[in-house]
């Protein structure tokens, strides 16, 4: 696959604060790319530069084959954005909001109507298309926000923490919509999120910390490099298991040994060798929460503001 976004040596400072500090990465066309980081890590600053909202200090940005410095209008044509906070008019209907947005791109008349009808079908907006945007539920608003971002048929959809503040059921519904867009339209999705389960579905993940790239890879690569599986052995404390786990990172609490193991095979070897001393156990696979904590030394809390 070819890269649809290429960022090279990007820098942006606000006074003495280096918000984006010499980062380089690329995004493959048709992929789900995830940006992870605490507030202030540089995620939104990077997105605002890509969207031409904010000027960079230095570096190169290429989007859909267009150099940001040479053809910013072409960059804008190829991206749609769903911001953290809604930017539509609460008093206008969904249809009128989308009409206004379409006009920004010179889309009028039958072409505009056809495009809104198409998005209404894709995003299940028919029942709410005439309702005021301000009267909609959180999940309904998010579907409309996605429609706004797609009105001009961009190749890239940028989602800046799109499900923050939504309940789990609504978040799942929004993600079903996004996954269908990727499957049906082959769209590239660039995501920032505080929810690790969303990042776990990405094709590629970049973890930002204090404006720098702290780690990058697929979720599986990152988990293999930066997380451990957790073996919990339910047993009274005894000398045999103390000795068995002495060279491993373990904690004994509430009647159980909690032992970091490399993988399932490692756990199986322990259970095979010391099974006579292990009446019960459970194994938890390492996850993206572990990765983020081990990479940055900080805990990323879902929905953090």
């Amino acid at each position: 696959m070819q890269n649809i976004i290429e960022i090279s040596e990007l820098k942006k400072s606000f006074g003495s604060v280096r918000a984006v500090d010499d980062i380089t990465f690329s995004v493959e066309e048709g992929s789900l790319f995830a940006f992870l980081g605490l507030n202030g890590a540089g995620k939104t600053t990077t997105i605002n530069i890509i969207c031409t909202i904010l000027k960079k200090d230095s570096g190169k940005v290429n989007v859909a084959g267009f150099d940001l410095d040479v053809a910013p209008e072409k960059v804008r044509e190829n991206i749609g954005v769903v911001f953290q906070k809604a930017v539509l008019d609460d008093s206008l209907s969904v249809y009128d909001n989308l009409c206004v947005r379409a006009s920004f791109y010179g889309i009028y008349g039958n072409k505009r109507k056809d495009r809104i009808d198409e998005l209404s079908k894709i995003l299940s907006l028919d029942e709410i298309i005439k309702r005021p945007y301000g009267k909609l539920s959180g999940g309904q608003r998010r579907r409309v926000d996605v429609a706004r971002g797609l009105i001009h048929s961009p190749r890239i959809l940028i989602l800046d923490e799109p499900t923050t503040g939504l309940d789990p059921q609504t978040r799942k519904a929004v993600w079903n919509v996004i996954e269908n867009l990727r499957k049906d339209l082959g769209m590239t999705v660039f995501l920032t999120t505080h929810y690790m389960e969303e990042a776990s579905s990405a094709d590629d993940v970049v973890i930002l910390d204090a404006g720098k790239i702290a780690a990058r890879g697929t979720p599986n690569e990152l988990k293999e490099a930066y997380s451990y599986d957790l073996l919990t052995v339910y047993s009274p404390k005894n000398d045999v298991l103390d000795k068995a786990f002495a060279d491993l990172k373990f904690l004994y609490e509430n009647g159980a040994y909690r032992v970091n193991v490399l993988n399932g095979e490692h756990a199986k070897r322990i259970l095979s060798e010391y099974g006579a001393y292990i009446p019960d156990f459970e194994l938890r696979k390492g996850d993206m929460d572990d990765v983020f904590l081990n990479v940055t030394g900080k805990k990323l809390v879902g929905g953090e503001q």
Side-chain angles (χ1 to χ4, degrees):
M1 278 190 179
Q2 64 180 5
N3 294 329
I4 195 166
I5 298 176
E6 293 181 337
I7 309 292
S8 178
E9 300 177 348
L10 183 63
K11 297 180 182 180
K12 177 65 182 179
S13 295
F14 298 97
S16 61
V17 177
R18 293 185 177 182
V20 178
D21 192 2
D22 195 19
I23 65 173
T24 296
F25 67 91
S26 58
V27 179
E28 286 191 352
E29 187 169 11
S31 68
L32 171 57
F33 177 90
F35 241 7
L36 295 182
L38 296 172
N39 287 339
K43 306 185 307 298
T44 297
T45 299
T46 302
I47 285 178
N48 285 342
I49 291 170
I50 294 172
C51 296
T52 75
I53 295 172
L54 190 64
K55 288 189 176 182
K56 57 185 172 60
D57 293 339
S58 62
K60 298 291 290 184
V61 177
N62 190 289
V63 178
F66 297 101
D67 188 318
L68 182 69
D69 294 328
V70 176
E73 72 287 349
K74 291 294 184 182
V75 170
R76 288 191 289 271
E77 287 177 10
N78 280 279
I79 58 176
V81 189
V82 177
F83 296 102
Q84 292 180 39
K85 296 182 179 180
V87 295
L88 295 178
D89 191 316
D90 284 348
S91 62
L92 293 180
S93 69
V94 171
Y95 187 85
D96 288 341
N97 265 300
L98 294 178
C99 283
V100 171
R101 184 66 182 177
S103 70
F104 294 166
Y105 295 93
I107 305 172
Y108 299 101
N110 289 334
K111 183 179 179 182
R112 180 178 67 188
K113 181 181 181 303
D114 291 345
R115 181 56 177 162
I116 293 175
D117 288 346
E118 180 183 12
L119 290 173
S120 182
K121 182 178 180 181
I122 292 172
L123 297 168
S124 302
L125 303 180
D126 287 345
E127 292 185 359
I128 60 173
I129 197 73
K130 296 299 184 182
R131 291 176 58 188
Y133 178 80
K135 298 294 184 180
L136 303 180
S137 69
Q140 291 170 334
R141 287 188 183 205
R142 264 320 187 206
R143 295 207 312 271
V144 178
D145 293 340
V146 172
R148 179 197 61 78
L150 297 176
I151 195 71
H152 58 299
S153 303
R155 294 170 63 189
I156 304 162
L157 181 62
I158 296 177
L159 305 172
D160 193 7
E161 297 178 27
T163 60
T164 294
L166 300 180
D167 63 83
Q169 183 176 357
T170 303
R171 282 169 48 208
K172 184 176 180 180
V174 170
W175 267 102
N176 286 338
V177 168
I178 294 167
E179 284 301 312
N180 287 336
L181 287 172
R182 291 187 63 219
K183 181 177 66 176
D184 297 339
L185 304 179
M187 179 167 290
T188 303
V189 176
F190 188 119
L191 167 75
T192 77
T193 182
H194 285 303
Y195 294 106
M196 293 298 98
E197 67 269 28
E198 295 179 351
S200 295
S201 301
D203 299 301
D204 199 14
V205 177
V206 162
I207 297 177
L208 285 183
D209 189 28
K212 291 182 175 291
I213 293 178
R216 179 181 180 177
T218 67
N220 285 339
E221 288 170 345
L222 291 173
K223 283 186 280 188
E224 183 175 339
Y226 297 105
S227 73
Y228 292 92
D229 293 352
L230 179 65
L231 175 64
T232 301
V233 172
Y234 298 100
S235 168
K237 201 169 190 303
N238 62 80
D239 292 341
V240 174
L241 292 182
D242 284 350
K243 185 176 180 180
F245 302 146
D247 293 332
L248 301 173
K249 185 177 180 181
F250 82 92
L251 176 69
Y252 188 85
E253 61 179 5
N254 301 322
Y257 289 89
R258 306 190 189 281
V259 187
N260 284 343
V261 294
L262 297 175
N263 49 41
E265 285 298 319
H266 188 193
K268 284 167 64 177
R269 290 198 299 272
I270 292 173
L271 295 171
S272 176
E273 186 170 354
Y274 297 99
Y277 301 90
I278 300 176
D280 197 10
F281 72 93
E282 64 179 328
L283 180 66
R284 181 183 71 81
K285 302 295 289 181
D287 57 23
M288 290 299 293
D289 286 294
D290 300 326
V291 170
F292 192 86
L293 179 60
N294 289 329
V295 168
T296 67
K298 305 158 190 171
K299 187 172 178 61
L300 185 57
V301 180
E304 175 186 292
Q305 293 295 309

